[in-house]
């Protein structure tokens, strides 16, 4: 059974940094796409970043491009999200998600992800 578990959330000041990790178990994940989504109170869940399983290419939401970096380490925790230059608008619950066998064009769609973690809270104070 696949399980994803996020860690690394917490409180940061605007302009600061946090690093999220996603630990996965239950499968060999080298060919899985992994993504981070976030959901702020009263808002819909939105795409943040993704890393493709077959070639390692990365994809970002415009709102985080240049500030966040997604990476993966297939030997350990499979995916990280380095968040720099944090803004108050980044405050949300961040979710790790995984999928396999899906087309590239849907990599930003939460509906196409099969496995989800429980989420970790990120709060940025201004």
């Amino acid at each position: 059974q696949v399980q994803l578990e996020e860690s690394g959330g917490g409180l940061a000041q605007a302009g600061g940094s946090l690093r999220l990790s996603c630990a996965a178990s239950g499968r060999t994940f080298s060919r899985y796409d992994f993504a981070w989504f976030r959901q702020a109170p009263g808002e819909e869940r939105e795409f943040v970043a993704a890393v493709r399983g077959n070639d390692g290419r990365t994809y970002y939401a415009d709102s985080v491009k240049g500030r966040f970096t997604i990476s993966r380490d297939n030997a350990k925790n499979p995916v990280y999200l380095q968040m720099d230059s944090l803004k108050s608008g980044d405050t949300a619950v961040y979710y790790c998600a995984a999928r396999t066998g899906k087309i590239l064009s849907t990599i930003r769609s939460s509906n196409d992800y099969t496995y989800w973690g429980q989420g970790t809270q990120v709060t940025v104070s201004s």
Side-chain angles (χ1 to χ4, degrees):
Q1 183 175 352
V2 174
Q3 289 187 322
L4 304 181
E5 184 174 2
E6 304 92 341
S7 60
L11 177 65
Q13 291 190 340
S17 299
L18 284 173
R19 190 191 196 204
L20 305 183
S21 298
C22 177
S25 60
R27 294 283 167 83
T28 300
F29 293 98
S30 59
R31 294 192 178 274
Y32 277 62
D33 299 337
F34 278 85
W36 290 94
F37 291 82
R38 66 186 183 187
Q39 188 168 19
E43 302 289 332
E44 293 188 354
R45 190 169 296 187
E46 66 172 357
F47 170 79
V48 176
V51 56
R52 189 81 161 143
N54 59 0
D55 59 13
R57 291 189 177 184
T58 57
Y59 304 86
Y60 296 94
D62 288 343
S63 59
V64 307
K65 198 174 294 183
R67 300 189 298 119
F68 291 11
T69 304
I70 189 170
S71 61
R72 65 187 297 162
D73 178 354
N74 288 336
K76 302 178 181 178
N77 285 330
V79 62
Y80 303 95
L81 185 68
Q82 177 67 40
M83 304 186 294
D84 299 319
S85 302
L86 284 163
K87 305 176 181 179
S88 58
D90 295 320
T91 296
V93 177
Y94 283 71
Y95 297 90
C96 176
R99 66 176 202 170
T100 189
K102 303 290 187 178
I103 59 176
L104 177 60
S105 62
T106 62
I107 200 166
R108 292 176 173 82
S109 173
S110 61
N111 291 333
D112 248 27
Y113 285 80
T114 306
Y115 305 106
W116 291 84
Q118 293 299 307
T120 185
Q121 176 70 46
V122 171
T123 303
V124 182
S125 62
S126 57

